[in-house]
Structures are given as C-alpha cells and as structure tokens.
Amino acid sequence: MTGNETDFKAVAFSPDGSRVAGAAGMDRSVRIWNSNSGDPQAVLKGHTDVVEDVAFTPDGSRVVSASRDRSIRVWDIDSQETVAMRLGHGSGVSCVDVSADGQELISGGTDGTIRRWSAQAESSAAPIGTYRGGGWRLAFDPDAARVIISKESTPSGDELPVWEAESGEAPMSLRAQKNVIAAEFTDGGQRIVTGGHDKAVHVWDVGSDEAQSTFLGHSGPILDVAAPLDGNRAASVGEQSRVEVSSVPEGGSRHEFLGDPWGVEFSDDGSFTATFGNSVDIWDADLGNHVVTLEPYKQTIKHFDLSTDCKLAIGAARDGQMLLWDTQTGRQIFSRLVCEAG
C-alpha cells in the first residue's frame, strides 16, 4: 500500500497529553503511542475496513473509532480489547465524537445519518438527523445538548441544521449562509462560528436563525474555522493562503497571517493559534506575532491536533507519516509510519 491508501485518517491527543492515537486507515487498526517517549502502547485490531476517525474518552483510558465497516468500537487501551461495538449505520461511519462527560457518542455516516449512542450500555440508535453530501465533521456542544455538522463539500443551497441531541429535532437552521464548509461551537456552546463558499465567517447565537456577526476579508472560500471554548475569538483559513483571527462577536482586533495553510486550531485557552498545511506554524492569538515554525516535513499535513497544554502538536502527512513536535522549540520528537509498530 502506498500514498493515500496508507495515510492516517485522523489523529488525537488524550486529554492529559500523555498518549496519541491514530486512525490507521487501510491498516484497519487504531494505534496508540506514548507522546513523551514515542513508544508504542497499543495496536487495536478488529475493524474489517478502513478506520476513518478516532476520539479519546475524557479519562483517556479508552478510545472510540469509526470505520467503513459500518461500526463504532470502544476500546480499552490497556487490555487492547473492544469493550463495546455499535452498529446501525447503513454504510460506512465517517466520524465520531464523545461527550464531555464520556456518557454519549455521536457518529456520522455516508448513509446520510447522524446517530446518538450510549457509551456505556448496549444500545441501538435511531438517526437524530439526516443530511446530504460527503466529508462529515460533527461535534457535541459542551453539555451534549446539541449537535452540529460541517461538510468538506455541501450540496448547493443546503442550510446547516443544528440538532437537539435528545429529541433529534432541528429547531435552528443557519439560513444566512449556504454551502457551509466548517462550523464550531464556541462560548460554552452558546455561539456557533461558520465559514463557507461565500468567503465570509458568520457568528450565530444558539437559538437564533440570524447571524449576529459577519466578518469579511477573505478573497476565496473559507477552508476551515476554529474557535476556543471561551468564545472570545474566531480564526478562519481562506483559499487564498490567508488566516484571520477576529474578536467575537464585535469583529475587532483582527490579525492576519500569511502562509499556505489548509487548516487552523486554537489552543484550549485561546492564547495560541496553529496553522497547518505545507508548514505548521504557531501564532500568538492576542498579538498576532509568529511564535515558531515547527520542523518542516516534505509532505502536506492533512490532520492536526494540539495537546491541552499546547506544549505538543501532532500531525498526519499525506505519505502516511505521523509526526509529533515540541511546540516550544519546534523540534520534531518522533515520526511513525501508519503501519509501523515502533
């Protein structure tokens, strides 16, 4: 297997930053490493098709994986055993998220459904929502009360519903912006930040169908948005190699970063912004100053995550390599191939 067949489909830090996980694509496994030493800790096997996504539970003892084999698996890392498996999607499962209390799972599938599951008890799940298109990315709000999705490719004219996780109702639909590419909860789940093909970033109050703020300035479609939990800022990546950080909701204190990014992440406390693509850079979100460029790699970084304390960064490259960096020095700590045991 070469090229895209062997790349990591997703990477994630455990909440305490001590472990990293990779959804190992066509290897059909989830791989866990110690983030300090680079030592392998687990190879979790059981899926029968490509593993598309991975997420840690809040205590870091388990990971949840989503696969094209139509299943979601919950794994105990120490025993390397599947402790729960969820079936219900009519085709492959593209993404998964875990609620902040670890009690609930949500999953999005290529069958066009979003499903909610108990993470503990055996359960079946009726769809809580349906949507057209491909390239799912979805998330709970911090209270696991609402679910939002965004798409890498949204069908023309589609609006973005926000579902109630319990009832499956969609009382809110973001009508002011068509073809939303990226969306994130912010301000403790009270606001939503979106970006799309209209070259604008919109900020919505949950419960309102009207955008409260609109930020203009990008000359092309928005590729990604990010927002810290405190809700004070929003970052956006435009197609024309430009990143903007704006205050929410008023839109002031805008910083502009130039480069060649595909995506953007905030540190948990909102003080730093990371951009990734053909390079990975860390920026001071308050001042707009460049902090460090992480040790370069020869391939584009497709998937990325920051540790909770922002001292480590993990990225997955196009050629199947997973890389871990020290964000204080920019030095690469280790790299691993998708099917490499050590």
Side-chain angles (χ1 to χ4, degrees), residues 48-67:
T48 59
D49 207 335
V50 171
V51 181
E52 294 281 6
D53 199 12
V54 65
F56 278 94
T57 57
D59 66 3
S61 67
R62 295 179 174 183
V63 290
V64 182
S65 56
S67 171

mmCIF file with all atom_site columns, all heavy atoms in Angstrom, residues 48-67:
data_model
loop_
_atom_site.group_PDB
_atom_site.id
_atom_site.type_symbol
_atom_site.label_atom_id
_atom_site.label_alt_id
_atom_site.label_comp_id
_atom_site.label_asym_id
_atom_site.label_entity_id
_atom_site.label_seq_id
_atom_site.pdbx_PDB_ins_code
_atom_site.Cartn_x
_atom_site.Cartn_y
_atom_site.Cartn_z
_atom_site.occupancy
_atom_site.B_iso_or_equiv
_atom_site.pdbx_formal_charge
_atom_site.auth_seq_id
_atom_site.auth_comp_id
_atom_site.auth_asym_id
_atom_site.auth_atom_id
_atom_site.pdbx_PDB_model_num
ATOM 1   N N   . THR A 1 48 ? -12.958 -4.321 10.115 1.00 0.00 ? 48 THR A N   1
ATOM 2   C CA  . THR A 1 48 ? -12.761 -5.082 8.879  1.00 0.00 ? 48 THR A CA  1
ATOM 3   C C   . THR A 1 48 ? -12.673 -4.201 7.642  1.00 0.00 ? 48 THR A C   1
ATOM 4   O O   . THR A 1 48 ? -12.648 -4.710 6.527  1.00 0.00 ? 48 THR A O   1
ATOM 5   C CB  . THR A 1 48 ? -13.903 -6.106 8.699  1.00 0.00 ? 48 THR A CB  1
ATOM 6   O OG1 . THR A 1 48 ? -15.161 -5.410 8.659  1.00 0.00 ? 48 THR A OG1 1
ATOM 7   C CG2 . THR A 1 48 ? -13.910 -7.109 9.843  1.00 0.00 ? 48 THR A CG2 1
ATOM 8   N N   . ASP A 1 49 ? -12.621 -2.887 7.858  1.00 0.00 ? 49 ASP A N   1
ATOM 9   C CA  . ASP A 1 49 ? -12.457 -1.959 6.743  1.00 0.00 ? 49 ASP A CA  1
ATOM 10  C C   . ASP A 1 49 ? -11.731 -0.719 7.277  1.00 0.00 ? 49 ASP A C   1
ATOM 11  O O   . ASP A 1 49 ? -11.357 -0.657 8.449  1.00 0.00 ? 49 ASP A O   1
ATOM 12  C CB  . ASP A 1 49 ? -13.817 -1.595 6.136  1.00 0.00 ? 49 ASP A CB  1
ATOM 13  C CG  . ASP A 1 49 ? -13.724 -1.211 4.660  1.00 0.00 ? 49 ASP A CG  1
ATOM 14  O OD1 . ASP A 1 49 ? -12.629 -0.761 4.230  1.00 0.00 ? 49 ASP A OD1 1
ATOM 15  O OD2 . ASP A 1 49 ? -14.733 -1.337 3.935  1.00 0.00 ? 49 ASP A OD2 1
ATOM 16  N N   . VAL A 1 50 ? -11.539 0.255  6.409  1.00 0.00 ? 50 VAL A N   1
ATOM 17  C CA  . VAL A 1 50 ? -10.774 1.462  6.737  1.00 0.00 ? 50 VAL A CA  1
ATOM 18  C C   . VAL A 1 50 ? -11.295 2.117  8.021  1.00 0.00 ? 50 VAL A C   1
ATOM 19  O O   . VAL A 1 50 ? -12.502 2.271  8.206  1.00 0.00 ? 50 VAL A O   1
ATOM 20  C CB  . VAL A 1 50 ? -10.860 2.470  5.577  1.00 0.00 ? 50 VAL A CB  1
ATOM 21  C CG1 . VAL A 1 50 ? -10.259 3.814  5.967  1.00 0.00 ? 50 VAL A CG1 1
ATOM 22  C CG2 . VAL A 1 50 ? -10.159 1.909  4.348  1.00 0.00 ? 50 VAL A CG2 1
ATOM 23  N N   . VAL A 1 51 ? -10.383 2.496  8.922  1.00 0.00 ? 51 VAL A N   1
ATOM 24  C CA  . VAL A 1 51 ? -10.730 3.252  10.121 1.00 0.00 ? 51 VAL A CA  1
ATOM 25  C C   . VAL A 1 51 ? -10.622 4.736  9.773  1.00 0.00 ? 51 VAL A C   1
ATOM 26  O O   . VAL A 1 51 ? -9.565  5.223  9.381  1.00 0.00 ? 51 VAL A O   1
ATOM 27  C CB  . VAL A 1 51 ? -9.807  2.910  11.298 1.00 0.00 ? 51 VAL A CB  1
ATOM 28  C CG1 . VAL A 1 51 ? -10.210 3.704  12.538 1.00 0.00 ? 51 VAL A CG1 1
ATOM 29  C CG2 . VAL A 1 51 ? -9.853  1.416  11.597 1.00 0.00 ? 51 VAL A CG2 1
ATOM 30  N N   . GLU A 1 52 ? -11.735 5.459  9.925  1.00 0.00 ? 52 GLU A N   1
ATOM 31  C CA  . GLU A 1 52 ? -11.834 6.839  9.452  1.00 0.00 ? 52 GLU A CA  1
ATOM 32  C C   . GLU A 1 52 ? -11.601 7.889  10.536 1.00 0.00 ? 52 GLU A C   1
ATOM 33  O O   . GLU A 1 52 ? -11.150 8.997  10.246 1.00 0.00 ? 52 GLU A O   1
ATOM 34  C CB  . GLU A 1 52 ? -13.222 7.076  8.835  1.00 0.00 ? 52 GLU A CB  1
ATOM 35  C CG  . GLU A 1 52 ? -13.493 6.293  7.562  1.00 0.00 ? 52 GLU A CG  1
ATOM 36  C CD  . GLU A 1 52 ? -12.852 6.927  6.344  1.00 0.00 ? 52 GLU A CD  1
ATOM 37  O OE1 . GLU A 1 52 ? -12.106 7.907  6.494  1.00 0.00 ? 52 GLU A OE1 1
ATOM 38  O OE2 . GLU A 1 52 ? -13.117 6.432  5.238  1.00 0.00 ? 52 GLU A OE2 1
ATOM 39  N N   . ASP A 1 53 ? -11.925 7.573  11.795 1.00 0.00 ? 53 ASP A N   1
ATOM 40  C CA  . ASP A 1 53 ? -11.845 8.605  12.824 1.00 0.00 ? 53 ASP A CA  1
ATOM 41  C C   . ASP A 1 53 ? -11.580 7.956  14.170 1.00 0.00 ? 53 ASP A C   1
ATOM 42  O O   . ASP A 1 53 ? -11.847 6.757  14.378 1.00 0.00 ? 53 ASP A O   1
ATOM 43  C CB  . ASP A 1 53 ? -13.153 9.402  12.876 1.00 0.00 ? 53 ASP A CB  1
ATOM 44  C CG  . ASP A 1 53 ? -13.008 10.750 13.574 1.00 0.00 ? 53 ASP A CG  1
ATOM 45  O OD1 . ASP A 1 53 ? -11.851 11.172 13.824 1.00 0.00 ? 53 ASP A OD1 1
ATOM 46  O OD2 . ASP A 1 53 ? -14.038 11.382 13.868 1.00 0.00 ? 53 ASP A OD2 1
ATOM 47  N N   . VAL A 1 54 ? -11.057 8.757  15.098 1.00 0.00 ? 54 VAL A N   1
ATOM 48  C CA  . VAL A 1 54 ? -10.744 8.268  16.436 1.00 0.00 ? 54 VAL A CA  1
ATOM 49  C C   . VAL A 1 54 ? -10.902 9.418  17.420 1.00 0.00 ? 54 VAL A C   1
ATOM 50  O O   . VAL A 1 54 ? -10.642 10.581 17.095 1.00 0.00 ? 54 VAL A O   1
ATOM 51  C CB  . VAL A 1 54 ? -9.316  7.681  16.488 1.00 0.00 ? 54 VAL A CB  1
ATOM 52  C CG1 . VAL A 1 54 ? -8.271  8.756  16.234 1.00 0.00 ? 54 VAL A CG1 1
ATOM 53  C CG2 . VAL A 1 54 ? -9.053  6.967  17.798 1.00 0.00 ? 54 VAL A CG2 1
ATOM 54  N N   . ALA A 1 55 ? -11.366 9.099  18.636 1.00 0.00 ? 55 ALA A N   1
ATOM 55  C CA  . ALA A 1 55 ? -11.525 10.107 19.700 1.00 0.00 ? 55 ALA A CA  1
ATOM 56  C C   . ALA A 1 55 ? -11.292 9.427  21.042 1.00 0.00 ? 55 ALA A C   1
ATOM 57  O O   . ALA A 1 55 ? -11.709 8.282  21.248 1.00 0.00 ? 55 ALA A O   1
ATOM 58  C CB  . ALA A 1 55 ? -12.919 10.724 19.658 1.00 0.00 ? 55 ALA A CB  1
ATOM 59  N N   . PHE A 1 56 ? -10.636 10.133 21.967 1.00 0.00 ? 56 PHE A N   1
ATOM 60  C CA  . PHE A 1 56 ? -10.440 9.630  23.317 1.00 0.00 ? 56 PHE A CA  1
ATOM 61  C C   . PHE A 1 56 ? -11.668 9.923  24.174 1.00 0.00 ? 56 PHE A C   1
ATOM 62  O O   . PHE A 1 56 ? -12.370 10.924 23.972 1.00 0.00 ? 56 PHE A O   1
ATOM 63  C CB  . PHE A 1 56 ? -9.235  10.306 23.973 1.00 0.00 ? 56 PHE A CB  1
ATOM 64  C CG  . PHE A 1 56 ? -7.903  9.710  23.599 1.00 0.00 ? 56 PHE A CG  1
ATOM 65  C CD1 . PHE A 1 56 ? -7.157  10.246 22.558 1.00 0.00 ? 56 PHE A CD1 1
ATOM 66  C CD2 . PHE A 1 56 ? -7.397  8.623  24.292 1.00 0.00 ? 56 PHE A CD2 1
ATOM 67  C CE1 . PHE A 1 56 ? -5.930  9.715  22.215 1.00 0.00 ? 56 PHE A CE1 1
ATOM 68  C CE2 . PHE A 1 56 ? -6.171  8.080  23.957 1.00 0.00 ? 56 PHE A CE2 1
ATOM 69  C CZ  . PHE A 1 56 ? -5.426  8.629  22.919 1.00 0.00 ? 56 PHE A CZ  1
ATOM 70  N N   . THR A 1 57 ? -11.901 9.060  25.165 1.00 0.00 ? 57 THR A N   1
ATOM 71  C CA  . THR A 1 57 ? -12.864 9.376  26.212 1.00 0.00 ? 57 THR A CA  1
ATOM 72  C C   . THR A 1 57 ? -12.214 10.379 27.175 1.00 0.00 ? 57 THR A C   1
ATOM 73  O O   . THR A 1 57 ? -10.990 10.510 27.192 1.00 0.00 ? 57 THR A O   1
ATOM 74  C CB  . THR A 1 57 ? -13.285 8.112  26.974 1.00 0.00 ? 57 THR A CB  1
ATOM 75  O OG1 . THR A 1 57 ? -12.120 7.476  27.526 1.00 0.00 ? 57 THR A OG1 1
ATOM 76  C CG2 . THR A 1 57 ? -14.014 7.151  26.051 1.00 0.00 ? 57 THR A CG2 1
ATOM 77  N N   . PRO A 1 58 ? -13.006 11.097 27.968 1.00 0.00 ? 58 PRO A N   1
ATOM 78  C CA  . PRO A 1 58 ? -12.437 12.166 28.811 1.00 0.00 ? 58 PRO A CA  1
ATOM 79  C C   . PRO A 1 58 ? -11.370 11.698 29.797 1.00 0.00 ? 58 PRO A C   1
ATOM 80  O O   . PRO A 1 58 ? -10.456 12.466 30.117 1.00 0.00 ? 58 PRO A O   1
ATOM 81  C CB  . PRO A 1 58 ? -13.666 12.712 29.551 1.00 0.00 ? 58 PRO A CB  1
ATOM 82  C CG  . PRO A 1 58 ? -14.799 12.437 28.645 1.00 0.00 ? 58 PRO A CG  1
ATOM 83  C CD  . PRO A 1 58 ? -14.484 11.131 27.990 1.00 0.00 ? 58 PRO A CD  1
ATOM 84  N N   . ASP A 1 59 ? -11.436 10.447 30.284 1.00 0.00 ? 59 ASP A N   1
ATOM 85  C CA  . ASP A 1 59 ? -10.416 9.983  31.224 1.00 0.00 ? 59 ASP A CA  1
ATOM 86  C C   . ASP A 1 59 ? -9.180  9.425  30.536 1.00 0.00 ? 59 ASP A C   1
ATOM 87  O O   . ASP A 1 59 ? -8.203  9.058  31.201 1.00 0.00 ? 59 ASP A O   1
ATOM 88  C CB  . ASP A 1 59 ? -10.997 8.965  32.200 1.00 0.00 ? 59 ASP A CB  1
ATOM 89  C CG  . ASP A 1 59 ? -11.420 7.661  31.523 1.00 0.00 ? 59 ASP A CG  1
ATOM 90  O OD1 . ASP A 1 59 ? -11.221 7.511  30.296 1.00 0.00 ? 59 ASP A OD1 1
ATOM 91  O OD2 . ASP A 1 59 ? -11.945 6.783  32.243 1.00 0.00 ? 59 ASP A OD2 1
ATOM 92  N N   . GLY A 1 60 ? -9.197  9.339  29.192 1.00 0.00 ? 60 GLY A N   1
ATOM 93  C CA  . GLY A 1 60 ? -8.039  8.898  28.442 1.00 0.00 ? 60 GLY A CA  1
ATOM 94  C C   . GLY A 1 60 ? -7.773  7.409  28.468 1.00 0.00 ? 60 GLY A C   1
ATOM 95  O O   . GLY A 1 60 ? -6.802  6.942  27.870 1.00 0.00 ? 60 GLY A O   1
ATOM 96  N N   . SER A 1 61 ? -8.641  6.623  29.124 1.00 0.00 ? 61 SER A N   1
ATOM 97  C CA  . SER A 1 61 ? -8.403  5.184  29.231 1.00 0.00 ? 61 SER A CA  1
ATOM 98  C C   . SER A 1 61 ? -8.950  4.405  28.049 1.00 0.00 ? 61 SER A C   1
ATOM 99  O O   . SER A 1 61 ? -8.581  3.247  27.838 1.00 0.00 ? 61 SER A O   1
ATOM 100 C CB  . SER A 1 61 ? -9.019  4.642  30.524 1.00 0.00 ? 61 SER A CB  1
ATOM 101 O OG  . SER A 1 61 ? -10.439 4.721  30.478 1.00 0.00 ? 61 SER A OG  1
ATOM 102 N N   . ARG A 1 62 ? -9.827  5.046  27.286 1.00 0.00 ? 62 ARG A N   1
ATOM 103 C CA  . ARG A 1 62 ? -10.456 4.379  26.146 1.00 0.00 ? 62 ARG A CA  1
ATOM 104 C C   . ARG A 1 62 ? -10.404 5.289  24.912 1.00 0.00 ? 62 ARG A C   1
ATOM 105 O O   . ARG A 1 62 ? -10.307 6.514  25.035 1.00 0.00 ? 62 ARG A O   1
ATOM 106 C CB  . ARG A 1 62 ? -11.912 4.018  26.462 1.00 0.00 ? 62 ARG A CB  1
ATOM 107 C CG  . ARG A 1 62 ? -12.045 2.981  27.573 1.00 0.00 ? 62 ARG A CG  1
ATOM 108 C CD  . ARG A 1 62 ? -13.494 2.671  27.885 1.00 0.00 ? 62 ARG A CD  1
ATOM 109 N NE  . ARG A 1 62 ? -13.612 1.576  28.849 1.00 0.00 ? 62 ARG A NE  1
ATOM 110 C CZ  . ARG A 1 62 ? -14.753 1.059  29.254 1.00 0.00 ? 62 ARG A CZ  1
ATOM 111 N NH1 . ARG A 1 62 ? -15.907 1.560  28.803 1.00 0.00 ? 62 ARG A NH1 1
ATOM 112 N NH2 . ARG A 1 62 ? -14.752 0.066  30.121 1.00 0.00 ? 62 ARG A NH2 1
ATOM 113 N N   . VAL A 1 63 ? -10.468 4.650  23.751 1.00 0.00 ? 63 VAL A N   1
ATOM 114 C CA  . VAL A 1 63 ? -10.639 5.390  22.504 1.00 0.00 ? 63 VAL A CA  1
ATOM 115 C C   . VAL A 1 63 ? -11.850 4.833  21.773 1.00 0.00 ? 63 VAL A C   1
ATOM 116 O O   . VAL A 1 63 ? -12.213 3.660  21.936 1.00 0.00 ? 63 VAL A O   1
ATOM 117 C CB  . VAL A 1 63 ? -9.394  5.320  21.591 1.00 0.00 ? 63 VAL A CB  1
ATOM 118 C CG1 . VAL A 1 63 ? -8.255  6.102  22.156 1.00 0.00 ? 63 VAL A CG1 1
ATOM 119 C CG2 . VAL A 1 63 ? -8.998  3.892  21.301 1.00 0.00 ? 63 VAL A CG2 1
ATOM 120 N N   . VAL A 1 64 ? -12.462 5.693  20.974 1.00 0.00 ? 64 VAL A N   1
ATOM 121 C CA  . VAL A 1 64 ? -13.616 5.322  20.153 1.00 0.00 ? 64 VAL A CA  1
ATOM 122 C C   . VAL A 1 64 ? -13.217 5.489  18.700 1.00 0.00 ? 64 VAL A C   1
ATOM 123 O O   . VAL A 1 64 ? -12.605 6.495  18.324 1.00 0.00 ? 64 VAL A O   1
ATOM 124 C CB  . VAL A 1 64 ? -14.832 6.203  20.484 1.00 0.00 ? 64 VAL A CB  1
ATOM 125 C CG1 . VAL A 1 64 ? -16.043 5.771  19.669 1.00 0.00 ? 64 VAL A CG1 1
ATOM 126 C CG2 . VAL A 1 64 ? -15.136 6.164  21.972 1.00 0.00 ? 64 VAL A CG2 1
ATOM 127 N N   . SER A 1 65 ? -13.538 4.505  17.884 1.00 0.00 ? 65 SER A N   1
ATOM 128 C CA  . SER A 1 65 ? -13.150 4.540  16.467 1.00 0.00 ? 65 SER A CA  1
ATOM 129 C C   . SER A 1 65 ? -14.366 4.370  15.573 1.00 0.00 ? 65 SER A C   1
ATOM 130 O O   . SER A 1 65 ? -15.344 3.707  15.932 1.00 0.00 ? 65 SER A O   1
ATOM 131 C CB  . SER A 1 65 ? -12.120 3.447  16.162 1.00 0.00 ? 65 SER A CB  1
ATOM 132 O OG  . SER A 1 65 ? -12.606 2.169  16.526 1.00 0.00 ? 65 SER A OG  1
ATOM 133 N N   . ALA A 1 66 ? -14.290 4.977  14.386 1.00 0.00 ? 66 ALA A N   1
ATOM 134 C CA  . ALA A 1 66 ? -15.336 4.884  13.375 1.00 0.00 ? 66 ALA A CA  1
ATOM 135 C C   . ALA A 1 66 ? -14.737 4.285  12.113 1.00 0.00 ? 66 ALA A C   1
ATOM 136 O O   . ALA A 1 66 ? -13.622 4.634  11.729 1.00 0.00 ? 66 ALA A O   1
ATOM 137 C CB  . ALA A 1 66 ? -15.914 6.259  13.082 1.00 0.00 ? 66 ALA A CB  1
ATOM 138 N N   . SER A 1 67 ? -15.476 3.393  11.468 1.00 0.00 ? 67 SER A N   1
ATOM 139 C CA  . SER A 1 67 ? -14.910 2.645  10.338 1.00 0.00 ? 67 SER A CA  1
ATOM 140 C C   . SER A 1 67 ? -15.901 2.513  9.191  1.00 0.00 ? 67 SER A C   1
ATOM 141 O O   . SER A 1 67 ? -17.119 2.582  9.381  1.00 0.00 ? 67 SER A O   1
ATOM 142 C CB  . SER A 1 67 ? -14.482 1.247  10.804 1.00 0.00 ? 67 SER A CB  1
ATOM 143 O OG  . SER A 1 67 ? -14.125 0.422  9.711  1.00 0.00 ? 67 SER A OG  1
#
